Amino acid sequence: MTTFLEPPVAPTAPRWSAALERVLAGEGLALAAQPIVDVARGSVVGYELLARFDGPHQATPDVWFSHAERLGLGARLDAIVLARALDLRDDLPDDTFITVNISPLHLGDPALAAVRDRHRSLERIVLELTEHSAVDDCAAVARLLEPWREAGAKVAIDDAGSGYAGLQWLLALSPDLVKLDRALVDHLDEDEVKSALVAMLGGFADRLDAWVLAEGVERLAELDVLAHLGVPLAQGYLFRRPTLELWPTIEGDVRRHLEQRPARAVDPDRVGALVEVVRTRHRHEPPALPISVVVDGLGQPIALDLADGTWDRVLAVRPDETVRAVLERALTRDAHWRWHPVVCVDELRRVVGVVRLERLVHHVIGGSPDRPTTHEEEV
Ligand code: C2E
Ligand code: CA
Ligand code: CA
């Protein structure tokens, strides 16, 4: 006689292990993507990849991952997701990245190391580290991350502010990306404690030179407060639910809302006011003279093409730095590249344009704010 009062664990354990072995053999697993949005520009800059399982268990992915962990299969499952993500990377739209969830406890596991070592580079991959059981030894995790970082992966701390990922994690791991937990974002427009916490975490991330990403954004009012607090990246059902259709874009009312957001006023004493837009190119493309910026897969500057060749040294500055401070930094460079233009980058370190030294000097000594010299005039 069947009874619906079966004890939960013992009889289901063998079924979970069979279901998981099937997934590890490559069946019944798909990756959904959810866009990550640049709040100021309204563009998609990346995608979180989230596992989707089919099979006898109508369970959410976190349940699948916790059963895998319980059965000692967690690292192999993370490894298969990472391998799939790396396959998908080949078709990624230009200048975007993908994030993949990995338990920090698995970073040193041979199954994951094997996937890492099969690839020449992990460029454009961000590892999202979540740990729902306390990981005391942050220093050990930081050490495990080293070969991943050397291979070019970036690091995100998932669920920051949730009580799991505390400030000491941020300090020890020095992540590139801090993902604010959904609970912090939920109705933060009506909760001053939450918005103060977000502002605090934002300031902290800034000092670590990390980008902040607010996840679980479901309402326009939440987005507006996040934008006001200067949070550069957002993700959530408001923009798009995770979807198996790659690569998801943002449409409809929210797209219009993002497009209509007023542009930030330009302060004439900040370098942002002196930026000239230039061509960017990838390493394998020919230089676009007289000046272009060579960028990596994320659109971040790695070299500068000038009339006398390609220079692998770039001074990157932010648009909100003062003209005087940037000029001082520029002039303390080595003599042979002291007069090169500086490259202006956004919160994600992507190229916005260049600023010529002549313009910085003119501005500081109070010369007439010359009209921008066009490249054609110069050659
Ligand atoms: P997570 O990494 O924090 O992923 C975010 C979860 O929030 C996803 O649920 C996503 O669908 C959901 N979400 C996104 N935007 C919103 C929103 O605006 N509102 C609400 N209410 N939810 C939103 P999902 O896909 O069910 O994943 C749940 C958890 O399962 C993940 O949490 C992660 O811990 C785990 N997981 C999913 N895929 C993977 C994976 O490939 N590897 C590992 N290790 N864990 C995974
Ligand atoms: Ca995540
Ligand atoms: Ca999360």
Side-chain angles (χ1 to χ4, degrees):
M1 186 183 83
T2 36
T3 160
F4 54 85
L5 283 176
E6 287 175 314
V9 176
T12 54
R15 280 192 269 138
W16 269 109
S17 84
L20 282 160
E21 284 300 346
R22 184 173 159 263
V23 168
L24 292 173
E27 275 175 65
L29 168 71
L31 294 186
Q34 186 177 33
I36 295 171
V37 176
D38 174 333
V39 173
R41 285 181 197 72
S43 52
V44 174
V45 292
Y47 309 85
E48 178 173 9
L49 294 180
L50 294 152
R52 295 291 176 261
F53 300 91
D54 66 19
H57 297 276
Q58 296 298 311
T60 52
D62 43 327
V63 173
W64 279 81
F65 281 92
S66 64
H67 280 286
E69 200 56 47
R70 180 175 60 80
L71 295 165
L73 301 171
R76 285 175 60 202
L77 189 54
D78 275 355
I80 202 164
V81 170
L82 178 65
R84 290 277 181 92
L86 281 159
D87 289 343
L88 293 175
R89 178 177 63 167
D90 297 341
D91 302 321
L92 256 182
D94 281 350
D95 300 339
T96 59
F97 57 85
I98 39 186
T99 75
V100 183
N101 294 279
I102 287 191
S103 164
L105 299 173
H106 302 156
L107 286 168
D109 188 278
L112 270 162
V115 176
R116 179 189 67 221
D117 297 340
R118 269 206 304 277
H119 293 266
R120 197 173 46 83
S121 138
L122 295 188
E123 235 194 41
R124 310 177 78 183
I125 302 284
V126 181
L127 306 176
E128 285 197 19
L129 305 183
T130 330
E131 192 39 60
H132 285 216
S133 60
V135 176
D136 296 328
D137 194 354
C138 305
V141 176
R143 274 194 303 279
L144 290 177
L145 273 174
E146 279 167 20
W148 295 92
R149 287 187 145 136
E150 274 160 26
K154 303 259 193 249
V155 175
I157 299 297
D158 203 356
D159 304 336
S162 66
Y164 293 112
L167 294 185
Q168 126 231 24
W169 255 74
L170 301 188
L171 274 175
L173 302 187
S174 202
D176 304 279
L177 189 63
V178 175
K179 294 193 79 173
L180 302 180
D181 190 57
R182 197 160 71 222
L184 214 52
V185 172
D186 180 35
H187 286 84
L188 94 161
D189 51 306
E190 293 165 7
D191 187 333
E192 282 174 20
V193 175
K194 284 187 184 177
S195 56
L197 259 170
V198 169
M200 189 274 292
L201 279 164
F204 199 72
D206 257 359
R207 261 182 281 153
L208 295 174
D209 216 8
W211 328 321
V212 180
L213 192 168
E215 63 178 357
V217 181
E218 294 186 0
R219 299 159 50 247
L220 279 175
E222 292 162 352
L223 174 65
D224 288 340
V225 172
L226 291 164
H228 180 75
L229 291 173
V231 171
L233 300 175
Q235 178 186 351
Y237 292 171
L238 174 67
F239 306 106
R240 194 83 195 249
R241 287 182 179 246
T243 163
L244 293 173
E245 162 209 324
L246 302 181
W247 296 94
T249 55
I250 294 165
E251 307 297 337
D253 288 350
V254 67
R255 189 196 177 104
R256 277 189 290 282
H257 185 84
L258 286 166
E259 284 167 355
Q260 283 158 13
R261 182 182 299 287
R264 274 187 230 149
V266 178
D267 176 341
D269 289 326
R270 310 272 160 182
V271 262
L274 302 180
V275 169
E276 295 169 50
V277 176
V278 289
R279 291 272 304 278
T280 58
R281 68 164 177 104
H282 294 278
R283 272 271 190 225
H284 59 273
E285 295 165 340
L289 290 173
I291 190 169
S292 52
V293 182
V294 187
V295 293
D296 65 12
L298 292 178
Q300 301 178 343
I302 47 180
L304 203 55
D305 293 320
L306 299 174
D308 58 349
T310 298
W311 294 76
D312 279 332
R313 300 176 97 173
V314 173
L315 174 59
V317 302
R318 292 285 303 276
D320 57 357
E321 291 185 62
T322 65
V323 173
R324 182 174 289 276
V326 168
L327 181 61
E328 278 168 14
R329 280 172 69 197
L331 293 179
T332 52
R333 294 180 292 183
D334 274 3
H336 50 281
W337 68 301
R338 182 172 302 151
W339 296 98
H340 286 179
V342 300
V343 176
C344 190
V345 295
D346 66 9
E347 305 87 336
L348 304 185
R349 226 177 159 271
R350 290 170 312 188
V351 173
V352 175
V354 300
V355 185
R356 290 161 194 266
L357 267 277
E358 303 88 288
R359 301 201 74 202
L360 294 171
V361 172
H362 270 294
H363 188 91
V364 169
I365 64 176
S368 65
D370 59 344
R371 89 201 140 82
T373 325
T374 65
H375 309 315
E376 289 73 24
E377 280 171 316
E378 211 188 38
V379 281

